[in-house]
Amino acid sequence: MFRKSLNISLVIALALSAVLAQQSAETLSVERLRTHINYLASDKLEGRRTGSEGANLAAEYIAREFARYGLQRSIGYDTPGMSILEADSPNRYLQKFPYLAGVTLGKNNVLSIQGPDGPSHDFRVSEDWMPLGFSSAGAFDDAGAVFVRYGITASELKYDDYAGIAVAGKVAIAISGTPDGDNPHGQFARYEDSLWKAIAAKQAGAKALIVVARETDFRDDSLSKLSFSHGGSDVGLPVMAISRSGAEILFNLGSLGSASLTSAESQTRTNSQEKIALNGILLSISINLIRREVEAANVVGIINGADPVLKNETIVIGAHYDHLGRGGEGSLAPHEGDIHHGADDNASGTAGLLELARLFASSDTPRPRRTIVFIAFSGEEEGLLGSNYYVNHPLRPLENTVAMINMDMIGRMKNNKLIVGGVGTAEGWRKVIDSSAKFWGIGVIPTPDTYGGVLPGTLTANLTRSGTANTNNAGTTAALDSIRSLDLTLNEDGYGPSDHSSFYAKKVPVLFLWTGTHEDYHKPSDTADKINYEDEAHILSFVERIIRTIDASNARPVYTVAKSESQGRTMGFRVYLGTIPNYADSGDGLLLDGVRDDSPAAKAGIKAGDRIVKLAGRDVHNVYDYTYALGEMKAGQEYEVELLRGFERIKLKITPAARK
């Protein structure tokens, strides 16, 4: 009965949304999009890395635009803990949240070595050695040292550099690289990062880890840059890099001249079984890093609904405004230091958000019946930090949020192809998408794959502005513009590497629009001159009709469990659990924002809000420990997982599935 009433509601919404689309079809401005993107992707904003001055300038720009359009400020007098003075400030559009922006050297960073016959050497921080950004703080004197080759443990590859070595309580010394040499696609590729070497050292019981730099000049080595990972806390033990000249001193003192760094590397690379002894040397280490916490902010503007009842329901329109600054973590550029402009990712989505906000706030267009919340998220590139903060601190009740529409990279459409994700997260989404464009004669047809079948959950719709629809057994093909058409690919899944995932994890129906990746993705070359402005305006008019169709229906979209079409970024893992980690949390253990339905984690009884503290016999203090344990697991084999649920400690059994 409900579905029947929903269908009737959609028919009514179809008629109304067609009229509304007719009234506002020419109001989206290509020139405004160009102005927004040119500013947001300019050199002045230096890539908008979360927590940076450039990101703050972007937030101020978005807030000023919201104010110009007359959107209600997100912060008001009735906000808990908010004083009248604060509520009157220009920051009322900003929802601030804490952000760990980086690390710097504190005082008393020490690395010194005492040889077996008395000679000693003090290494100079920044010149001879450098703590790594994910290192724990700590200090100790007179610890022994062991050479652990590459410092890699990979049980699935039957490889363990710690096998037969007594490392407990000692400092592990490892060289950079992997047994694959310089092959970036080798089987050990994911173990190249010093982070995984650090996790292996901790699991083996090492007191600290020293990684030997690859470059002859330490200043040219990436390990000398005090790089910082925004995705988690410290790794759980002191970790540092040492220059090659410093490593030569260490090996010479430790082997009484019988070995050198060069011979150690040679034996490692030829897989020699001879062990390099570092007998009698004692290391004293002190690491003091200052972690810099700043305020980041989502920018939130609200248009209150006109209907006396439906105004209590909200539709969230979102796009992230942060990007990668001058490179580093997340960048695909060969060198750090160049501005990553992020015109498509995601100045394009932010500009679209601003244009839709202006359009819906305009007195020339019908006021929506439901309340619309426009959110420009920060911290997306660091692990969906801003959207995660919002769903846990919503400015309007999340249970009354009927839908979230997310725009990420909508500025580089090729061959009129637009991807719409999340269509399986609500019962009527396909009808909403279809109804939103029926004024233009839109239909949906299956897309055959290269093997002659149909890709599950993937459909396309050809949209043109002819008023005629042709039907056949496969579906309806129609046409949104007589000159160009939109070729839609509809994906079921509500999860993905963008901000809609945070809402779907809270059981909010979502739609996600993007035009696909390209050769400039996460590179400095993602610049404003490459944006397809006319096509972006075309996409936004389609998004507007979707919003108006949702708003025109009395029935709210009903959340459903979507078919999982992607299992996220694999990082080389062979198994899949279906957990959604919270990358913003810094507590002990791994906090889960969500669990994919019908996944191994869900079948094991794991729930959103659980904190994993042990997995497959490995203690889990953070996301690093979790991914390390995951890399050792095998599909089809049962493991124990220990978690905290509130104040209760629970042990469950989980059987990973093979990653497809």
Side-chain angles (χ1 to χ4, degrees), residues 12 39 49 151 217 246 259 284 289 346 407 434-435 505 540 580:
I12 298 172
Y39 177 74
R49 175 72 84 171
D217 189 333
S284 294
L289 296 178
N346 185 35
M407 298 174 292
D434 194 32
S435 300
L540 291 173
I580 311 297

Side-chain angles (χ1 to χ4, degrees), residues 285-299:
I285 294 173
S286 175
I287 290 181
N288 178 20
L289 296 178
I290 299 172
R291 285 179 158 75
R292 182 169 61 91
E293 188 171 280
V294 299
E295 282 188 329
N298 298 323
V299 190

